[in-house]
């Protein structure tokens, strides 16, 4: 196009000369042109291209510049032609470099796109996620059921006084339940609570009936670790106080609870037992959740599994917190959360619950 336009221009030398400097020259007759082409052929990337550009077009040491400097050695008559040829060479070099640069850039961009392409059909990474500890899991489940029945969740201190842990629960000094073997004392009056029952007392001291609470938490006993014992375990205490509360309410409540927790078929039975803070007291069994009561290894062929202690709050406990035991009655129960977890998840060794072996925990 430019060449064609040039033909139609008036052939005035100076003008032509100026125009020629911007002409898109495709090749050159200068001997350097061949060497340049060979050098250019070897170039495979943009860095290499810059090197070639510098070695030909560099202002100081570029080969073309060196040729320019030699122009003065030509006889004056040959100078214009030599200059023209050199200029043509320079333009041809520029043009070739530019073309090659465009090519190389295109190739670089294409390979980048290829390398950085994201294959959205590849399978994703598997992230390790945490789980909820089996104890915490049943704990929450148990809480949920009682909260739905209108219970309030309360907590008490793990370091407890002798008074709340024993005395106020009608366990006077010298009672077997206070046995040194079982209790971890801090000093004469402070100890690690051996059960969640002291929360009953603390709650009744602070609130008037009607009361409907559960109190989950850690408890401590001087036990050595084995498949069924741990010096720290978890209990959930329950307490209901109002006018006209009976043993039937206790049984009905526990039935609703266990049917919700295990299955609709679960049956509950109370066996008379003794706890100093209730009268009457009972041990509560549920029909075996594994064999449905027919007898299996878990229930030791009895069809029943013992799950908690319960009873009607002892009038002496009421009087110790200033409740009128003529007017109010109540029931209380205490159950082992760990024991429920073991049953629910069929864990055969309690230690698994406390050792935090990730292979065990990751199943939950
Ligand atoms: N505190 C008792 C224990 O740790 C369990 C218990 C039994 C709690 C009977 C009660 C109850 O509230 O009425 O073995």
């Amino acid at each position: 196009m430019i060449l064609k336009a040039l033909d139609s221009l008036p052939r005035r030398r100076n003008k032509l000369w100026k125009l020629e400097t911007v002409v898109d020259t495709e090749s050159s007759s200068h001997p350097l042109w061949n060497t340049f082409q060979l050098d250019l052929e070897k170039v495979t990337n943009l860095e290499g291209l810059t090197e070639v550009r510098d070695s030909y077009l560099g202002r100081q040491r570029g080969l073309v510049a060196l040729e320019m400097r030699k122009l003065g050695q030509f006889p004056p008559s040959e100078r214009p032609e030599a200059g023209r040829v050199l200029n043509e060479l320079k333009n041809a070099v520029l043009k070739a470099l530019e073309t090659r640069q465009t090519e190389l850039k295109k190739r670089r961009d294409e390979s980048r796109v290829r390398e950085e392409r994201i294959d959205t059909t590849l399978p994703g990474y598997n992230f390790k996620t945490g789980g909820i500890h089996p104890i915490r899991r049943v704990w929450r489940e148990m809480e949920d059921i009682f909260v739905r029945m209108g219970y309030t969740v309360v907590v008490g201190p793990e370091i407890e006084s002798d008074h709340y842990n024993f005395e106020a629960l009608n366990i006077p000094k010298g009672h077997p339940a206070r046995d040194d073997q079982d209790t971890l004392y801090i000093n004469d009056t402070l100890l690690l609570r051996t059960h969640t029952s002291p929360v009953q007392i603390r709650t009744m001291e602070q609130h008037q009936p009607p009361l409907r609470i559960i109190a989950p938490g850690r408890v401590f006993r001087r036990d050595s670790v084995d498949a069924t014992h741990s010096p720290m375990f978890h209990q959930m205490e329950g307490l209901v106080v109002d006018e006209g509360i009976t043993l039937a309410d206790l049984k009905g409540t526990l039935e609703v609870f266990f049917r919700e927790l295990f299955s609709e078929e679960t049956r509950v039975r109370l066996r008379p037992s003794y706890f100093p803070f209730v009268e009457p007291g009972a041990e509560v069994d549920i029909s075996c959740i594994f064999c449905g009561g027919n007898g299996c290894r878990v229930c030791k062929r009895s069809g029943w599994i013992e799950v908690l202690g319960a009873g009607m709050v002892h009038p002496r406990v009421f009087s110790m917190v200033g409740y009128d035991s003529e007017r109010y009655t109540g029931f209380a129960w205490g159950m082992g959360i760990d024991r429920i977890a073991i049953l629910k998840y069929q864990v055969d060794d309690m230690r698994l619950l406390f050792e935090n072996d990730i292979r065990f925990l990751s199943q939950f």
Side-chain angles (χ1 to χ4, degrees):
M1 282 289 283
I2 297 173
L3 282 172
K4 201 165 169 231
L6 218 129
D7 282 345
S8 60
L9 283 170
R11 292 204 167 256
R12 277 179 34 217
R13 244 187 182 288
N14 53 350
K15 191 96 185 230
L16 197 63
W17 177 258
K18 266 193 187 150
L19 273 169
E20 236 173 357
T21 58
V22 295
V23 159
D24 264 347
T25 321
E26 304 288 337
S27 70
S28 162
S29 54
H30 196 281
L32 264 181
W33 177 240
N34 279 341
T35 349
F36 168 75
Q37 278 181 308
L38 290 176
D39 283 347
L40 192 64
E41 246 167 53
K42 290 186 220 133
V43 166
T44 52
N45 55 31
L46 290 164
E47 290 74 30
L49 192 71
T50 308
E51 271 174 37
V52 172
R53 173 180 286 120
D54 289 348
S55 67
Y56 283 85
L57 298 180
R59 271 168 205 265
Q60 297 296 325
R61 325 195 124 265
L63 292 170
V64 174
L66 292 179
E67 290 296 314
M68 291 281 189
R69 256 171 256 156
K70 281 191 220 156
L71 271 183
Q73 298 163 12
F74 282 81
S77 60
E78 289 173 24
R79 256 178 240 163
E81 177 57 13
R84 195 192 58 78
V85 169
L86 251 187
N87 218 47
E88 196 180 58
L89 170 71
K90 190 178 160 192
N91 284 330
V93 166
L94 268 172
K95 176 84 200 284
L97 285 170
E98 195 183 298
T99 312
R100 192 92 179 103
Q101 187 180 37
T102 314
E103 249 170 53
L104 288 171
K105 272 194 179 151
K106 193 173 160 214
R107 218 196 289 167
R108 183 197 59 189
D109 290 349
E110 279 168 358
S111 81
R112 253 192 214 166
V113 166
R114 222 177 304 122
E115 278 163 26
E116 293 171 12
R117 202 175 114 238
I118 293 169
D119 183 352
T120 52
T121 65
L122 281 174
Y125 295 107
N126 265 330
F127 290 104
K128 284 210 157 106
T129 49
I132 295 173
H133 192 280
I135 292 178
R136 198 74 204 186
R137 218 171 246 275
V138 277
W139 177 326
R140 285 188 187 171
E141 230 174 290
M142 290 162 72
E143 264 183 9
D144 271 3
I145 298 172
F146 281 107
V147 166
R148 286 207 298 276
M149 288 198 271
Y151 285 67
T152 303
V153 182
V154 297
V155 288
E158 291 173 359
I159 294 174
E160 199 37 291
S161 70
D162 182 281
H163 172 78
Y164 285 112
N165 196 77
F166 293 128
E167 207 75 38
L169 285 162
N170 196 29
I171 312 174
K173 297 224 157 48
H175 194 281
R178 279 176 167 246
D179 203 319
D180 266 352
Q181 294 300 95
D182 295 330
T183 310
L184 289 154
Y185 282 94
I186 288 167
N187 56 35
D188 282 351
T189 51
L190 285 180
L191 45 82
L192 294 181
R193 67 177 179 190
T194 58
H195 51 182
T196 42
S197 303
V199 189
Q200 290 186 31
I201 308 297
R202 289 180 173 275
T203 309
M204 288 190 283
E205 278 182 351
Q206 306 264 321
H207 303 276
Q208 288 304 305
L211 269 187
R212 220 181 296 156
I213 59 130
I214 49 168
R218 275 192 277 250
V219 300
F220 307 85
R221 290 190 194 172
R222 268 178 68 164
D223 271 325
S224 21
V225 177
D226 65 26
T228 52
H229 292 89
S230 160
M232 187 283 293
F233 55 103
H234 303 84
Q235 280 191 340
M236 187 176 282
E237 194 80 11
L239 173 71
V240 172
V241 183
D242 202 349
E243 290 178 22
I245 298 291
T246 70
L247 201 62
D249 295 317
L250 169 65
K251 187 163 188 257
T253 301
L254 292 175
E255 266 169 6
V256 169
F257 170 74
F258 284 113
R259 282 173 190 168
E260 192 77 13
L261 189 68
F262 293 120
S263 79
E264 202 47 48
E265 286 75 48
T266 315
R267 282 162 291 134
V268 170
R269 85 175 179 188
L270 272 61
R271 276 179 294 110
S273 184
Y274 172 75
F275 298 97
F277 34 92
V278 282
E279 180 58 36
E283 251 148 27
V284 180
D285 300 336
I286 55 170
S287 54
C288 181
I289 53 170
F290 299 105
C291 62
N294 298 327
C296 68
R297 196 179 54 86
V298 179
C299 60
K300 301 195 185 83
R301 317 252 151 251
S302 73
W304 295 94
I305 301 174
E306 188 191 322
V307 279
L308 61 107
M312 299 305 289
V313 181
H314 200 293
R316 218 175 286 158
V317 172
F318 276 157
S319 68
M320 263 182 278
V321 295
Y323 276 14
D324 178 359
S325 57
E326 292 296 316
R327 181 170 170 202
Y328 296 111
T329 50
F331 65 75
W333 48 262
M335 77 178 100
I337 299 177
D338 321 68
R339 184 155 167 66
I340 303 288
I342 279 171
L343 278 176
K344 188 153 176 127
Y345 299 119
Q346 300 187 47
V347 178
D348 54 12
D349 191 325
M350 196 170 190
R351 283 169 287 202
L352 286 168
L353 295 178
F354 300 111
E355 279 168 357
N356 288 336
D357 186 327
I358 212 78
R359 291 168 301 177
F360 168 75
L361 292 179
S362 60
Q363 298 173 72
F364 296 91

